[in-house]
Amino acid sequence: MTRFRLPALAMGFFTACGVESAPANSPPSTGPELVEAAIAYHDPAGAWPSLRHGLVIDQSRPDGSRRSATVRLDVPKSTFDYQEDSGEGLISKGVTDDGCFATVDGRQPTEAQVTSLRLDCPSIERMRNYYLYLWGLPMKLRDPGTIIDPVIADDEFDGRATKVAKVTYDADVGTDIWYFHFDPTTYRMVGYQFHHDETTGRGEYILLSGERDVLGMRIPVERRWFTNAEDSYLGTDVLVDDFPGGPQR
């Protein structure tokens, strides 16, 4: 979604921050402990840091448009490639060790296509950050520069009671304020919300549902997007398949 901004950290390598976990069988009492409990639920075997895997994601928007995208991620290298059969043709783009690439039906895009389809390198890198960050949550909350508020809040999100971790970032990483909502018993992530500006409500919230086992990780299947201020529906992303192997270039 074009208005969605992510911490620059989303492109970084996995780095454990040395956050202390709550004692065994003891409920988390701080924000960092809550995040660690959620990571233990979603990635119990620690698969995310070495992930090289592909996802197939169906995307629908309020205007009725639908498209399917294939995304291959290499977390250790922070690279990815993306393929989508659009009205403009078969779009392939990604980030490799050597930089960015983009083709339309196997050919170099025209200047007009670069502009209309956002095939410039900064746009492709932002998309890489988007997929590594959002599909890597809550594990990405271990990245350097992440500031987890020590206080756990109690709230209601999508009609259910939740435990909430407030997350901000170092100034050179990002300026948005995030709230991550977790089931109070299992610590499963049920949704999250970010604010560009809390005084105006500018930002979005995302409701999660379903789970898919991906290499032992519990990955949310469906993400539904809404604006904070207007509560307007923005779209739905659904994980429909996954397969072994990272980027092909």
Side-chain angles (χ1 to χ4, degrees):
M1 301 195 176
T2 56
R3 73 181 76 185
F4 189 85
R5 298 187 299 172
L6 293 168
L9 233 176
M11 63 185 289
F13 295 96
F14 174 93
T15 302
C17 297
V19 176
E20 293 184 4
S21 298
N25 302 319
S26 175
S29 60
T30 68
E33 289 177 356
L34 176 59
V35 168
E36 286 300 307
I39 292 172
Y41 174 86
H42 283 281
D43 188 14
W48 175 258
S50 58
L51 182 79
R52 294 189 78 254
H53 207 65
L55 308 174
V56 180
I57 302 167
D58 282 353
Q59 305 168 60
S60 58
R61 300 298 177 254
D63 62 3
S65 62
R66 303 180 68 90
R67 63 180 188 266
S68 180
T70 299
V71 184
R72 295 176 174 87
L73 302 174
D74 187 321
V75 173
K77 291 185 175 182
S78 195
T79 60
F80 100 125
D81 66 48
Y82 175 98
Q83 192 170 83
E84 173 195 332
D85 193 0
S86 74
E88 297 277 348
L90 182 63
I91 299 172
S92 296
K93 55 185 174 181
V95 177
T96 70
D97 294 334
D98 301 320
C100 303
F101 70 88
T103 63
V104 179
D105 286 333
R107 297 185 292 272
Q108 287 294 111
T110 64
E111 289 187 14
Q113 288 173 325
V114 168
T115 300
S116 65
L117 300 174
R118 298 188 181 92
L119 299 181
D120 57 285
C121 196
S123 294
I124 294 171
E125 288 178 342
R126 283 194 294 271
M127 176 171 274
R128 181 270 312 273
N129 298 349
Y130 168 95
Y131 280 102
L132 284 176
Y133 185 76
L134 288 187
W135 290 92
L137 289 172
M139 292 72 77
K140 291 293 286 181
L141 300 181
R142 280 178 170 166
D143 279 359
T146 307
I147 303 168
I148 303 172
D149 194 294
V151 177
I152 296 174
D154 292 300
D155 201 358
E156 185 175 288
F157 192 70
D158 194 26
R160 72 184 78 183
T162 60
K163 296 289 185 182
V164 186
K166 179 181 178 181
V167 173
T168 55
Y169 288 89
D170 288 345
D172 60 341
V173 174
T175 59
D176 290 344
I177 300 170
W178 292 73
Y179 294 91
F180 292 91
H181 293 258
F182 304 101
D183 182 278
T185 302
T186 65
Y187 311 115
R188 178 176 66 88
M189 187 172 61
V190 299
Y192 39 85
Q193 183 175 38
F194 67 91
H195 297 269
H196 303 318
D197 182 348
E198 284 197 287
T199 62
T200 63
R202 203 160 57 89
E204 298 169 12
Y205 69 93
I206 297 89
L207 305 180
L208 306 176
S209 61
E211 287 182 349
R212 184 181 181 94
D213 184 315
V214 178
L215 301 178
M217 296 183 294
R218 296 182 174 107
I219 301 298
V221 168
E222 182 179 270
R223 289 166 163 81
R224 290 180 290 141
W225 300 73
F226 302 84
T227 61
N228 288 332
E230 303 83 10
D231 202 28
S232 298
Y233 170 66
L234 295 172
T236 299
D237 297 339
V238 179
L239 176 61
V240 295
D241 200 4
D242 68 279
F243 55 91
Q248 296 180 318
R249 299 195 184 198

